[in-house]
Amino acid sequence: MLYADTPERVEKRLARLGADWAMARAIERTQTEPASSAGSTLGLPPEGFTSDALGLERLIGRNNLTPVAFLEEGVQVSRSVGRITISGPGGGHGTGFMVSPSLLLTNNHVLRDKEDATRSKVAFAFQDSVDGSPLVPAVFQLEPLRFFVTDRALDYSLVAVSPQGAQGEQLSSFGRLILSEAQGKILIGEFVNIIQHPRGEPKQIALRENQIVDVLERFLHYECDTREGSSGSPVFNDQWEVVALHHSAVPKTDAEGRPLSVDGAVWQPEMGEQQLAWRANEGVRISRVLGALHEIPLTGEAARLRDEVFTAGLTPPPVPSAPQMAPASFNGQSPVPATNGSQARTAQETADATQFLLPLRISIGFDAPSFSSAAVLAPRPAPAWVPQATPQPPVRPPDVVSAVEKEVDAALANHRVARDRPYYDRVADAAVREAYYANIRTETGDALRRALTGLLADSHEPQPRYKPMRLVYPWVDLHKDGRLRSIYSGKDFSAEELIRADAAVAQARLARVQELLLLESTAGPAEFEQEFDALEASMPFNCEHVVPQSWFDKQEPMRGDLHHLFACEVGCNSFRGNFPYFDFPNFEEAVREACGMRESVGFEPEEGKGVVARATLYFLLRYPGQVGDVAREFPEDRLPVLLRWHESEAVTEYELHRNAAIAEIQGNRNPLIDHPEWAREIDFSGVWP
């Protein structure tokens, strides 16, 4: 990278890191330099390259080793990054970050004017804890009447934030990111890191393997993963300095500037967003944002607030000792007491994590970060993140346990009864199946599809509402050994484990809904629906809709239809999101999570492909015209994927059990389980809009 960028920029970068050309070349050990000046063994003959000369450990390519403190400081700076929610018509989500004790920076296209900002909020700590459970976010109202400036050309907006959150949280506890106009913060070829809320989801990070590919007068281009909702995110260098304000992706273009599709042709809108070829992501250089902010004529309080952005701040103070906590209880259970001697828990450890012994282990984190810095060659002019006060512990929701306890008791009672039943009676189910399809004729594919759609709708009675605790875990989704298995990862759970886990989520949801009803008492249905959707996304159940709820606007009876509901741990549920199923080439060699592989074109599960294919085909038959009308849903050209998965994995006893159990509850059956051979006979073309 010493030669990828201009000499002037390299000089500034080396100066910022406290290095010079001699040191950089010595580290680089380029073969164009004499061995003596590089301090290397490049002058050895071939027979001299032995383990005595070279050692046994090597750096492969560039040195990508990083101090562990890099991660610690990343956690610190992430506290100042929040998810923006714009309520009302044209609303949505974006990302923003605190750049002074009072002001938050985001994109102009996220907050276009004071009106947008007036109906917007920012949520900090909207993220998962180390054990995967969601934290309770701290929500603050934006105050554009106090301060708001924006610039469409540089795509930034700077807005004041209420100093106190909805539950009394102090904005100062989330600190700020220090911005600098100094040159030399990044070079072509270096890595950047982006902390963001893609699609309005809990906070995520694109870490290090994201190279700068171009430095323009006002913008940086970098290879990095972002999604809608990531707009307004801070782009950091490896010293956690903000180098840019992320705002968009840059498509590949031809010589005439026309965007290209993935196959190299000129892209047309009717091809869909998934066919657009992307070159890089783009961020506005933070030095250009600060330069423009300097030029805005402001007076009085507005000028004072603006000037605070340019105040570097002080070195973070040491973390104060946490007070000793009184014994706590939850549902009558007491926490594990600290022991004396070397095993005694310190006050700080108690503040960091208090764990309660329950069938479901609930961890409540009290976030009190330490202040270590990533190692660099020389001290930075200012820390990347400055805390303004001791962080406040997350607010615990009000006690709404009793509202869920009856559901838990009923679910556990159902499970106890289910364990004494035969898992699957093949003879009895064969008779039921024959009677169910007695009037179905298969002369043509279209006639077969129409007949099945009518049968599935007419026999779908009753139509239960979405209650996985009561209807999915106790009996329907059990395997023969009495355990539940995640549909995507294959990880197994007891029914009681998921029932109690979802009960804890339901309690947290109810508490938050009560708060929303109070806080949003003057808001309309659209605003509340948006808040509630965000709440469900941040606190999901351990239940997967193989046809995502967003595709049918969470409407019943689709939402509660048991044929496409499966046990699935929260991590895999969130990882799949609402991506359509897709068959990736060379899937076995791909880097992926335990749940499967996900890219912008879709999601391929690690387990259960045949099962989810048959469930999705059932949905297409039962609800024709409901999905596939937009590119992000399941389009008709993905049908071969489902058919391949269906044919490659035979129907199992687990699916036969599910089908029979669901028929007892909601009346209808899945034809692809009962008659797998019909998959190629049915003309599915009529199920898409």
Side-chain angles (χ1 to χ4, degrees):
M1 70 186 68
L2 295 175
Y3 309 100
D5 218 320
T6 65
E8 293 78 15
R9 287 183 50 78
V10 174
E11 291 275 6
K12 292 176 181 178
R13 181 65 175 140
L14 292 175
R16 190 160 185 82
L17 293 174
D20 57 22
W21 275 98
M23 179 183 292
R25 285 173 174 147
I27 295 172
E28 182 190 39
R29 296 185 178 210
T30 173
Q31 294 192 39
T32 61
E33 295 290 326
S36 58
S37 67
S40 71
T41 58
L42 293 175
L44 288 175
E47 62 271 15
F49 282 83
T50 64
S51 60
D52 291 337
L54 298 177
L56 299 177
E57 304 292 344
R58 304 302 301 154
L59 297 174
I60 308 302
R62 67 187 293 168
N63 184 352
N64 202 27
L65 297 175
T66 303
V68 171
F70 171 82
L71 299 177
E72 296 178 354
E73 192 166 5
V75 172
Q76 292 174 22
V77 300
S78 73
R79 287 184 54 79
S80 301
V81 181
R83 185 190 71 172
I84 297 172
T85 299
I86 305 98
S87 302
H93 295 295
T95 304
F97 53 102
M98 297 301 299
V99 296
S100 83
S102 303
L103 302 182
L104 176 131
L105 183 64
T106 187
N107 290 141
N108 166 269
H109 76 261
V110 173
L111 299 177
R112 299 182 186 278
D113 49 37
K114 289 185 178 181
E115 181 183 352
D116 282 353
T118 299
R119 49 192 177 93
S120 299
K121 300 174 183 177
V122 60
F124 297 103
F126 179 55
Q127 62 195 73
D128 292 337
S129 65
V130 292
D131 65 357
S133 60
L135 298 179
V136 177
V139 181
F140 296 81
Q141 187 72 45
L142 301 188
E143 297 183 339
L145 297 181
R146 189 155 63 98
F147 186 96
F148 184 84
V149 297
T150 190
D151 186 318
R152 185 174 181 181
L154 287 177
D155 197 13
Y156 80 84
S157 290
L158 191 63
V159 62
V161 182
S162 171
Q164 192 167 22
Q167 295 298 314
E169 308 94 335
Q170 297 302 307
L171 179 64
S172 58
S173 67
F174 293 95
R176 58 177 291 197
L177 301 181
I178 300 301
L179 305 185
S180 172
E181 293 182 89
Q183 302 296 303
K185 294 190 289 293
I186 201 75
L187 291 177
I188 293 174
E190 284 196 270
F191 296 133
V192 293
N193 314 289
I194 302 183
I195 299 175
Q196 56 189 291
H197 286 278
R199 297 187 171 192
E201 296 171 0
K203 192 181 299 177
Q204 299 173 39
I205 181 170
L207 192 64
R208 291 208 83 226
E209 289 297 325
N210 312 295
Q211 278 189 309
I212 293 286
V213 296
D214 205 358
V215 177
L216 308 178
E217 173 58 29
R218 296 193 296 177
F219 304 106
L220 298 179
H221 287 175
Y222 38 85
E223 297 171 339
C224 190
D225 290 331
T226 60
R227 300 291 298 180
E228 56 271 24
S230 300
S231 294
S233 301
V235 182
F236 299 94
N237 62 16
D238 268 356
Q239 289 72 49
W240 293 108
E241 294 178 296
V242 179
V243 298
L245 171 67
H246 173 72
H247 79 137
S248 71
V250 181
K252 292 182 179 179
T253 57
D254 62 10
E256 299 177 26
R258 296 175 297 182
L260 299 175
S261 65
V262 291
D263 61 2
V266 176
W267 179 82
Q268 301 294 334
E270 57 268 20
M271 295 180 178
E273 185 270 342
Q274 73 277 7
Q275 292 298 314
L276 194 58
W278 297 101
R279 182 164 70 92
N281 271 303
E282 182 178 85
V284 185
R285 293 173 64 178
I286 206 67
S287 58
R288 302 306 185 255
V289 172
L290 293 175
L293 189 59
H294 264 307
E295 301 300 319
I296 298 176
L298 297 172
T299 60
E301 179 66 6
R304 186 190 67 80
L305 290 175
R306 187 264 311 274
D307 292 344
E308 286 183 346
V309 175
F310 299 93
T311 304
L314 303 174
T315 302
V319 178
S321 299
Q324 190 68 39
M325 297 181 65
S329 63
F330 189 79
N331 269 7
Q333 300 285 343
S334 298
V336 179
T339 57
N340 294 324
S342 61
Q343 295 180 343
R345 176 176 286 187
T346 66
Q348 185 60 55
E349 290 169 333
T350 302
D352 286 342
T354 301
Q355 295 181 345
F356 305 90
L357 287 183
L358 294 168
L360 164 71
R361 193 175 84 176
I362 299 175
S363 296
I364 302 176
F366 292 86
D367 193 359
S370 58
F371 298 102
S372 56
S373 299
V376 292
L377 295 175
R380 292 195 302 271
W385 179 80
V386 173
Q388 304 301 318
T390 303
Q392 302 294 313
V395 178
R396 179 179 171 182
D399 186 10
V400 292
V401 175
S402 60
V404 181
E405 284 179 337
K406 292 181 180 179
E407 290 287 320
V408 173
D409 291 341
L412 293 177
N414 289 347
H415 181 54
R416 286 192 293 270
V417 172
R419 287 183 298 187
D420 297 327
R421 298 183 59 182
Y423 183 68
Y424 177 62
D425 189 334
R426 190 174 296 271
V427 175
D429 191 50
V432 173
R433 180 172 63 246
E434 183 175 353
Y436 186 76
Y437 299 104
N439 297 321
I440 295 297
R441 299 292 179 264
T442 62
E443 289 85 0
T444 67
D446 183 69
L448 178 57
R449 176 187 61 78
R450 292 177 183 276
L452 289 175
T453 294
L455 175 62
L456 295 178
D458 293 343
S459 59
H460 191 173
E461 187 64 31
Q463 297 181 351
R465 298 185 70 81
Y466 177 56
K467 290 186 177 181
M469 268 196 300
R470 290 281 297 273
L471 300 178
V472 178
Y473 309 145
W475 172 240
V476 164
D477 208 40
L478 290 182
H479 286 254
K480 195 169 185 178
D481 61 359
R483 305 276 292 178
L484 297 169
R485 286 182 176 79
S486 168
I487 188 61
Y488 294 146
S489 71
K491 183 179 179 181
D492 73 302
F493 307 86
S494 70
E496 181 173 352
E497 185 177 4
L498 291 196
I499 288 169
R500 293 195 180 278
D502 278 14
V505 173
Q507 292 165 13
R509 282 188 182 183
L510 285 174
R512 184 62 182 141
V513 166
Q514 290 176 352
E515 296 170 10
L516 288 175
L517 289 172
L518 293 174
L519 294 172
E520 301 293 336
S521 58
T522 59
E527 288 83 354
F528 182 82
E529 181 180 355
Q530 186 178 67
E531 293 280 3
F532 190 76
D533 288 348
L535 172 64
E536 286 197 335
S538 66
M539 300 180 181
F541 289 134
N542 292 278
C543 184
E544 166 72 337
H545 290 78
V546 299
V547 177
Q549 298 185 70
S550 61
W551 295 3
F552 50 86
D553 294 326
K554 300 184 179 179
Q555 298 297 308
E556 299 288 2
M558 292 84 81
R559 190 171 190 238
D561 192 326
L562 295 168
H563 282 295
H564 78 127
L565 301 184
F566 295 84
C568 181
E569 71 269 39
V570 168
C572 283
N573 194 334
S574 299
F575 181 72
R576 187 266 171 109
N578 61 357
F579 288 90
Y581 293 122
F582 188 79
D583 234 337
F584 289 96
N586 303 318
F587 180 65
E588 289 303 319
E589 288 75 39
V591 178
R592 60 191 189 277
E593 291 196 3
C595 317
M597 182 178 180
R598 185 188 77 179
E599 296 289 354
S600 60
V601 292
F603 167 77
E604 182 177 356
E606 180 73 20
E607 300 283 346
K609 294 178 185 176
V611 178
V612 301
R614 285 181 279 275
T616 306
L617 291 171
Y618 157 84
F619 189 98
L620 296 175
L621 288 174
R622 171 64 182 88
Y623 307 104
Q626 276 292 336
V627 302
D629 57 333
V630 295
R632 66 177 178 275
E633 296 179 1
F634 204 94
E636 188 173 358
D637 62 7
R638 300 286 176 91
L639 179 62
V641 173
L642 297 182
L643 295 177
R644 283 198 304 272
W645 290 359
H646 165 69
E647 293 170 348
S648 65
E649 295 183 10
V651 174
T652 62
E653 187 179 21
Y654 158 69
E655 289 178 271
L656 294 171
H657 153 77
R658 270 184 56 95
N659 202 24
I662 292 170
E664 289 180 350
I665 296 173
Q666 67 179 48
N668 63 359
R669 302 176 65 92
N670 186 339
L672 286 310
I673 293 175
D674 291 328
H675 289 279
E677 71 278 9
W678 284 354
R680 289 291 178 180
E681 298 178 29
I682 299 170
D683 180 5
F684 282 95
S685 61
V687 304
W688 277 276

